[in-house]
Amino acid sequence: SGAICNAGSVKWGVTELESTWKRNCPKRQNVANQLLLTSLLAPRRRSDVGQPIEERQEDNMPSKHGDSVRTVAAALMGEPDARTVARLKRLDQAIVRHPKDPKLLAEKGGLLEGMLNFSEALKCYNRALEHTPKDLPTLMAKASLLERSSRETQAVKVLNLAIAAGGDAAELSFEQGRILHQSGRLKAAVPCYARCLSLRPHHKQAVMNLAAVMIGLSRYREALALCEEELKHHSQWPELVCSRGIAWMELGEVERACHDFEAALKLSHGNQTVFYNLACLSMKQKSPQKALAFLAKATKGNARLANQALMDREFAPLSDNLRFWRIIDRAVYLEGAMRWQLCKKFKVKNI
């Protein structure tokens, strides 16, 4: 199924996964549009449910494209301004006088990271940690940098050091789960989220993420049990009601799934993720026109969900439907070869 647990730019079932540099790169959608040119008539497939449909992800360029996205971000940001250059020069001079000062080294690392010079930033963090190996801010900065560099395994190991250094074990376990979750390592994320919940029961983001991971691993009964247990404490939680609906849908319990999606809509009126899931449910019920109506609501002004629909095998039967493409075009303007191919296929002058 193509059901998803996300709403807007924040995943339902996955907490905010984008870092600032990704959110500040307005041209990323153009990259996604170009990638779609090759998928017009190709077999559809989707990301695993519960993954940052990457981060994914408006999030949602897969992490393997991280370097190219960073290059675009760097180009948009331009060269460092005069103040940044001057500040870096002053730090270098101070480090020459105090080569073992961890604060200066960590500050330089943060400045270099802001300039997207990740390799040199990492060297600075490592030098700082040689002198203060249990400094939590530096450990957290290093973990964040490693994650941004798509070195998730190393980031998780650094967070283990942060826990050993006295950091908040519940929050750091959650961060470990989130990093693994985002990189698609769903099985490895489960014990991290579980450890977070054992230390801090009812941690909202950990509950949502763990439910999404269970669904992504096809462990639907476990996802149901988790959702129902948490809903005893927070009955007005639309994200979790939606996740329970997805689990019911995957188990073939269509009526229960529909009931949960409608309940989630009442709790979160007009939520586009719920409309998307209702569209998936309608496809399972062999009701393509109903699915198109829900999909139109789901993708209105939402390029991420429109892109997801293009890659979602649930909607593959709609690839021969002109209305489907017009719904997609309204959310992500289809350009160039794709538009030309569609006009030719449907024998129309414009989509």
Side-chain angles (χ1 to χ4, degrees):
S1 157
I4 56 175
C5 305
N6 52 312
S9 63
V10 181
K11 308 283 286 176
W12 275 17
V14 182
T15 189
E16 178 77 41
L17 293 171
E18 298 171 86
S19 54
T20 302
W21 65 271
K22 286 185 179 178
R23 290 195 295 267
N24 289 341
C25 186
K27 296 186 179 180
R28 294 181 73 245
Q29 192 56 57
N30 293 340
V31 178
N33 284 342
Q34 294 302 315
L35 292 175
L36 292 175
L37 294 177
T38 60
S39 66
L40 175 59
L41 300 176
R44 306 295 179 212
R45 66 182 182 84
R46 66 176 177 85
S47 302
D48 286 335
V49 173
Q51 285 193 19
I53 301 174
E54 278 215 319
E55 61 243 175
R56 33 182 13 248
Q57 26 206 8
E58 241 178 294
D59 291 312
N60 291 336
M61 193 76 72
S63 57
K64 64 182 179 182
H65 296 302
D67 290 338
S68 61
V69 174
R70 276 190 286 277
T71 302
V72 174
L76 291 172
M77 291 172 66
E79 294 297 322
D81 59 30
R83 286 186 178 182
T84 302
V85 173
R87 184 181 168 198
L88 185 60
K89 186 176 181 180
R90 287 196 298 272
L91 277 173
D92 283 334
Q93 292 171 347
I95 290 171
V96 169
R97 295 192 298 272
H98 308 284
K100 296 183 179 181
D101 189 323
K103 291 184 179 180
L104 291 174
L105 292 167
E107 185 180 353
K108 182 180 178 181
L111 192 61
L112 290 168
E113 183 178 354
M115 296 165 62
L116 303 183
N117 190 343
F118 293 160
S119 59
E120 291 301 316
L122 184 58
K123 291 178 182 178
C124 289
Y125 290 144
N126 286 336
R127 287 178 61 191
L129 289 169
E130 287 176 4
H131 305 294
T132 53
K134 294 186 177 182
D135 184 68
L136 280 175
T138 306
L139 286 168
M140 294 300 295
K142 180 180 177 180
S144 175
L145 174 60
L146 289 168
E147 181 189 358
R148 291 178 68 184
S149 305
S150 301
R151 296 155 76 175
E152 293 86 359
T153 301
Q154 293 181 49
V156 169
K157 289 180 179 179
V158 172
L159 289 176
N160 278 330
L161 296 176
I163 293 173
D168 186 328
E171 287 300 327
L172 292 173
S173 295
F174 169 78
E175 283 299 312
Q176 289 178 315
R178 181 190 62 77
I179 290 170
L180 293 167
H181 187 166
Q182 178 176 346
S183 63
R185 297 166 61 185
L186 302 189
K187 288 184 179 179
V190 171
C192 297
Y193 289 142
R195 184 165 60 250
C196 171
L197 288 170
S198 69
L199 295 168
R200 191 161 298 158
H202 314 304
H203 186 292
K204 187 172 183 178
Q205 292 172 324
V207 169
M208 290 192 296
N209 285 18
L210 183 56
V213 167
M214 293 299 187
I215 291 170
L217 293 170
S218 301
R219 293 160 63 174
Y220 306 124
R221 293 291 177 187
E222 292 175 73
L224 273 177
L226 175 64
C227 292
E228 290 180 347
E229 179 62 30
E230 288 299 323
L231 285 169
K232 291 178 183 177
H233 304 280
H234 309 284
S235 60
Q236 304 297 304
W237 193 345
E239 298 93 337
L240 214 55
V241 173
C242 183
S243 293
R244 186 175 66 181
I246 294 171
W248 283 127
M249 180 170 62
E250 298 292 356
L251 289 168
E253 298 283 352
V254 174
E255 289 186 7
R256 288 181 171 182
C258 189
H259 177 270
D260 274 344
F261 292 148
E262 289 174 354
L265 274 179
K266 290 178 181 177
L267 294 170
S268 181
H269 180 69
N271 188 284
Q272 289 178 293
T273 294
V274 181
F275 283 129
Y276 188 98
N277 289 322
L278 282 167
C280 292
L281 186 62
S282 298
M283 291 300 295
K284 284 182 174 292
Q285 294 174 306
K286 311 294 184 184
S287 302
Q289 294 307 314
K290 193 175 178 181
L292 285 168
F294 283 128
L295 192 61
K297 293 180 180 180
T299 59
K300 186 177 181 180
N302 193 321
R304 183 179 54 77
L305 286 183
N307 280 328
Q308 176 66 13
L310 281 170
M311 300 301 294
D312 200 330
R313 65 171 179 250
E314 206 70 68
F315 300 113
L318 298 179
S319 62
D320 292 324
N321 188 304
L322 178 58
R323 185 184 172 196
F324 170 76
W325 289 105
R326 284 178 169 161
I327 289 171
I328 298 299
D329 184 56
R330 185 180 63 179
V332 281
Y333 183 76
L334 303 172
E335 299 178 347
M338 174 172 272
R339 180 170 289 275
W340 178 83
Q341 288 181 48
L342 288 171
C343 289
K344 182 178 178 181
K345 177 179 179 178
F346 294 109
K347 299 179 181 179
V348 294
K349 291 184 178 180
N350 200 2
I351 296 299

